[in-house]
Amino acid sequence: MVNLSLCSVYFDFQILIAQRYGGISRYFFEIIPELRNLGVHCDISCFHNHNYYFADSLGIHNLGNKFVRLAEFLVNMFKAHNDTRRKKYDIIHPTYYYMSYGTNAKIIHTVHDMIPEMYHINSRLIAAKKKTLHEADRIISVSESTKRDLLNIYSDIEPEKITVVHHGASMKHIDKPAQKLSIMNGKDYVLFVGNRAGYKNFMKFFEAMKPVMNAHRDLCVLCTGGGGFTQSERELIRGYEDRIIQAGLSDDELVNAYSGALCFVFPSLYEGFGLPLLEAFACDCPVICSKSSSLPEVAGDAAEYFDGNDSDDIAGHITHVIESDSLRDDLRRRGRERLNFFDWKKTARETLKCYEEVMIS
C-alpha cells in the first residue's frame, strides 16, 4: 500500500478566479482541510483570488473587466505550470476544465454536473471538459445521476474510471430558534434559493404559486440569490409584487430564511448534486422538490416530490405541505436523519481512496 501520509496533491487556481461563491468552490474549500487532516500534503495558490471561501487563506481581489480576467488567467496558468514542474506532485486535482498538465503526476477530475452538455451551454467549455476528462486518470462524480449522464454523453469513457463520491453537508443541524427576517414582516412564506433562469425552473414554479397564493391571501414567496428580477420575471409576477420578495442574504440570514420558511421548494429540472437540499435539512426546513436528476438520490425519503414540468402537480404538493403541520414536522424529522448521510470527512476519506487507487495502478 502507498503511504498516503507522504502523498502530495496540487489544486489549481481555475475556480478561484471564475467563481465568487458557488458549489464547486465550496467543495474544494471543504475537502482540502479534511484531506490535510488525513495526512495529505495539499497545495493551492492563486494570484488575485476572487473567491469568498478562500479569502482568509489566499486574500481576495475584486473582479476586473474581461481583459483583466484574461490576464489573470494567463498569469495563473504560467504559475501553475511552473509550480507543477518545480515540485514533484503525486496528484494534480484541477478545479475546472481549461487546464492540462504535461507532468508525470496522476490527474484526478471531479465532475459536478453535466449541465453544459445537457443544455448545450458554452461550446468552448464543453470542448475543454471533454479533452480533460479523457486525459484524466480518475474521474470523481458527485452523484450516481451525474455518472449516468456522463457515461451517456461520453460513451467511450470506461465506467471503471469513474468513482461516485457524494458531497458533505456544509451546514450541520442548527438546533436553535431562528431569528425572524425583518424583510418578511412576520408573514408566512415559501422559499426559493439561487439562480432562476432556464433549467432552474422558476417560471413554472411561480405559475404554480399563483393559485396557491390566491387561496392563501397572506402567503408570500422569498427568493434569495440570483439577482434582481428580469423583465420576463417581472411580467410573470405582475399583480403579486407586494407578496414576492427578492433579496441577497448573508450566510446567517440564509439560515434564518430556511428556518423561518413554511417550506423550501427546489423545482430545478437538473442538478449534479443539489447542496440546497442539505442546507434546508440542516435548518429544519421542509423540502419539496422535482423528482429529477440527482435530487431523489440526495433527498431520499426526506422530501415531497413533484413533476417539475407540471405546474398543477407543483401547486398540489406545495398546498399539501403548507396546510399540514404534521407533514411538515415529519419532513423536518426525515431531513435531520437524511443529513447524517453526508459528511465532508467521509467525502475526504473516499477521495483519498481514489488517490491511493490511482497511485498504485
Side-chain angles (χ1 to χ4, degrees):
M1 279 292 175
V2 176
N3 182 355
L4 282 170
S5 65
L6 304 178
C7 174
S8 60
V9 184
Y10 185 81
F11 296 89
D12 70 20
F13 66 93
Q14 294 182 79
I15 204 63
L16 304 183
I17 65 171
Q19 198 172 65
R20 178 85 166 100
Y21 300 91
I24 299 177
S25 52
R26 166 69 82 168
Y27 163 83
F28 287 105
F29 174 75
E30 296 283 4
I31 66 165
I32 288 171
E34 296 296 350
L35 287 168
R36 286 171 174 158
N37 289 340
L38 293 171
V40 180
H41 178 84
C42 299
D43 281 346
I44 183 168
S45 64
C46 181
F47 286 134
H48 289 168
N49 165 55
H50 297 153
N51 189 263
Y52 167 84
Y53 306 116
F54 286 88
D56 287 344
S57 57
L58 298 178
I60 198 157
H61 179 263
N62 290 330
L63 195 65
N65 63 39
K66 64 181 180 180
F67 299 108
V68 173
R69 293 199 299 272
L70 175 60
E72 288 177 343
F73 185 92
L74 294 174
V75 169
N76 275 290
M77 182 175 69
F78 177 81
K79 182 181 187 305
H81 280 297
N82 186 58
D83 287 344
T84 55
R85 282 164 174 73
R86 182 174 49 82
K87 181 176 179 180
K88 184 180 183 300
Y89 290 95
D90 301 300
I91 304 285
I92 296 175
H93 197 151
T95 59
Y96 214 51
Y97 305 111
Y98 289 116
M99 286 279 294
S100 293
Y101 291 87
T103 74
N104 293 325
K106 300 291 187 178
I107 304 296
I108 306 281
H109 264 288
T110 300
V111 175
H112 300 269
D113 59 60
M114 300 300 291
I115 289 168
E117 294 87 348
M118 300 283 284
Y119 291 90
H120 309 290
I121 300 169
N122 194 335
S123 59
R124 180 171 170 262
L125 170 59
I126 292 170
K129 185 175 177 181
K130 179 179 181 180
K131 179 177 184 292
T132 53
L133 292 184
H134 281 84
E135 291 173 349
D137 296 288
R138 177 67 61 90
I139 297 168
I140 294 173
S141 170
V142 300
S143 66
E144 293 286 353
S145 173
T146 294
K147 178 180 178 179
R148 287 193 299 271
D149 292 336
L150 193 159
L151 290 172
N152 285 335
I153 293 166
Y154 301 124
S155 57
D156 56 337
I157 292 180
E158 304 86 353
E160 297 76 19
K161 185 176 174 178
I162 306 169
T163 300
V164 173
V165 179
H166 286 140
H167 284 319
S170 297
M171 286 185 188
K172 298 303 182 186
H173 179 242
I174 298 166
D175 188 18
K176 64 177 183 180
Q179 297 289 321
K180 293 282 187 181
L181 285 172
S182 59
I183 56 175
M184 299 313 299
N185 294 317
K187 293 183 177 180
D188 288 335
Y189 62 93
V190 169
L191 180 65
F192 184 102
V193 173
N195 293 323
R196 300 183 299 274
Y199 66 90
K200 293 295 187 178
N201 209 23
F202 174 79
M203 305 295 268
K204 187 70 72 174
F205 159 72
F206 199 74
E207 284 179 16
M209 281 303 303
K210 287 181 179 180
V212 180
M213 295 170 80
N214 291 341
H216 299 79
R217 303 302 300 182
D218 292 328
L219 182 66
C220 296
V221 173
L222 172 60
C223 298
T224 179
F229 291 124
T230 65
Q231 181 60 39
S232 58
E233 289 170 343
R234 287 196 294 271
E235 291 172 3
L236 177 70
I237 67 175
R238 186 173 292 130
Y240 298 86
E241 292 92 341
D242 60 335
R243 297 170 61 193
I244 178 164
I245 294 152
Q246 194 285 324
L249 302 179
S250 68
D251 287 348
D252 288 343
E253 289 170 331
L254 182 60
V255 167
N256 294 329
Y258 278 118
S259 299
L262 285 176
C263 59
F264 163 57
V265 181
F266 202 21
S268 179
L269 299 176
Y270 186 88
E271 294 292 324
F273 184 81
L275 281 172
L277 296 171
L278 303 188
E279 293 174 350
F281 293 158
C283 299
D284 271 347
C285 183
V287 170
I288 316 173
C289 65
S290 299
K291 193 172 186 178
S292 63
S293 63
S294 63
L295 301 186
E297 179 182 343
V298 175
D301 68 350
E304 282 276 306
Y305 294 101
F306 52 68
D307 178 351
N309 292 302
D310 185 339
S311 58
D312 290 338
D313 195 44
I314 300 172
H317 283 278
I318 293 173
T319 298
H320 186 43
V321 169
I322 66 173
E323 291 183 352
S324 174
D325 292 345
S326 61
L327 177 56
R328 293 198 304 277
D329 286 343
D330 188 49
L331 288 170
R332 292 185 186 102
R333 177 186 60 80
R334 290 173 184 266
R336 289 192 293 271
E337 292 172 355
R338 187 67 182 165
L339 196 64
N340 294 326
F341 288 89
F342 302 96
D343 182 80
W344 287 115
K345 289 181 173 59
K346 179 183 177 185
T347 303
R349 288 195 301 270
E350 293 178 2
T351 302
L352 187 59
K353 185 178 178 182
C354 290
Y355 293 167
E356 179 179 35
E357 290 171 352
V358 81
M359 286 174 63
I360 64 177
S361 62

